């Protein structure tokens, strides 16, 4: 039960961080919301569910073949730690998302899918963080990966949908102190997971004391 709870907590933390962090998909969520209303922004927020499945499956097949090569997995874990540190830095330093007023036609789902497929972040995240974590938790059965994925997608979609709602009703939130504090908390959670990935990577490489 503790492993399932830990997996769900990790998925929630990473999902919230990815959901609220400034980036192409969140910018599209906000622009569609401001141009066409929160409903169109929520449609964009659903894009990760549609685009991530083939990325996860391809990465799972590749990394599962490398389970007998701890040096490679160690390097992947260290790369994941570095990526999480970069995301944490973005959370601490990035300005609030641009809430401009573009006037483009809807087709929000198509725009969201195109934006997410062309964004390198999902590929990097699942290759160095998400799938390695799933493979680790899968050793104890399918419950851990299911808990992680469920929490991750509920939180990433929920965070972007919440951003759409806030942008539609309370535009000032995007430049408020509350938003900056939220991002700082999410950045701190990413540093915590980066520490764990770094320790795992060093252990796999035989460098942990």
């Amino acid at each position: 039960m503790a492993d399932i709870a830990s997996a769900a907590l990790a998925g929630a933390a990473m999902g919230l961080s990815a959901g609220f962090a400034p980036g192409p998909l969140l910018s599209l969520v906000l622009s569609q919301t401001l141009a066409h209303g929160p409903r169109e922004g929520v449609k964009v927020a659903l894009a990760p569910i549609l685009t991530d499945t083939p990325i996860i499956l391809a990465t799972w097949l590749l990394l599962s073949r490398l389970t007998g090569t701890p040096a490679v997995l160690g390097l992947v874990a260290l790369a994941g730690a570095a990526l999480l540190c970069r995301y944490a830095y973005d959370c601490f330093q990035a300005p609030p998302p641009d809430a401009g007023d573009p006037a483009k036609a809807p087709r929000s789902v198509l725009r969201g899918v195109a934006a997410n497929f062309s964004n390198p972040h999902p590929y990097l995240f699942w290759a160095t963080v998400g799938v390695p974590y799933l493979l680790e938790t899968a050793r104890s059965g399918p419950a851990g990966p299911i808990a992680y994925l469920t929490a991750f997608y509920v939180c990433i979609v929920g965070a972007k949908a919440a951003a759409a709602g806030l942008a539609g009703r309370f535009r000032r939130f995007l430049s408020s102190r509350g938003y900056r504090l939220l991002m700082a908390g999410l950045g701190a959670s990413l540093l915590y997971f980066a520490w764990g990935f770094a320790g795992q990577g060093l252990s796999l490489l035989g460098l942990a004391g």
Side-chain angles (χ1 to χ4, degrees):
M1 184 65 69
D3 290 341
I4 297 174
S6 297
L9 179 61
M14 294 181 192
L16 285 173
S17 300
F20 281 118
L25 194 61
L26 183 59
S27 294
L28 186 60
V29 167
L30 296 174
S31 67
Q32 291 294 95
T33 296
L34 295 172
H36 307 290
R39 183 176 180 178
E40 296 301 318
V42 171
K43 290 180 182 179
V44 177
L46 296 173
I49 296 177
L50 303 174
T51 58
D52 285 8
T53 300
I55 299 173
I56 295 171
L57 291 176
T59 307
W60 184 292
L61 289 174
L62 176 62
L63 293 182
S64 63
R65 295 175 180 273
L66 300 176
T67 53
T69 54
V72 174
L73 295 178
L75 292 174
V76 169
L78 290 179
L83 185 68
L84 289 175
C85 287
R86 170 59 189 274
Y87 288 171
Y89 176 82
D90 289 343
C91 287
F92 288 125
Q93 299 294 329
D98 181 13
D101 190 17
K104 295 182 179 179
R107 291 185 300 174
S108 298
V109 174
L110 180 61
R111 291 181 185 277
V113 168
N116 215 42
F117 263 133
S118 62
N119 182 7
H121 287 179
Y123 301 92
L124 292 172
F125 172 80
W126 287 112
T128 62
V129 178
V131 171
Y133 189 89
L134 291 175
L135 288 171
E136 181 68 23
T137 57
R139 295 180 180 181
S140 301
I146 291 172
Y148 177 90
L149 289 171
T150 300
F152 179 87
Y153 282 108
V154 166
C155 288
I156 190 173
V157 173
K160 292 189 186 301
L166 289 169
R169 291 171 178 258
F170 310 105
R171 297 189 185 193
R172 290 183 179 179
F173 173 77
L174 298 174
S175 59
S176 70
R177 186 168 181 265
Y179 178 85
R180 293 193 294 272
L181 289 174
L182 172 64
M183 295 307 300
L186 294 175
S189 72
L190 289 179
L191 289 178
Y192 170 81
F193 290 109
W195 177 265
F197 269 74
Q200 182 184 30
L202 292 174
S203 177
L204 288 168
L205 291 171
L207 300 176

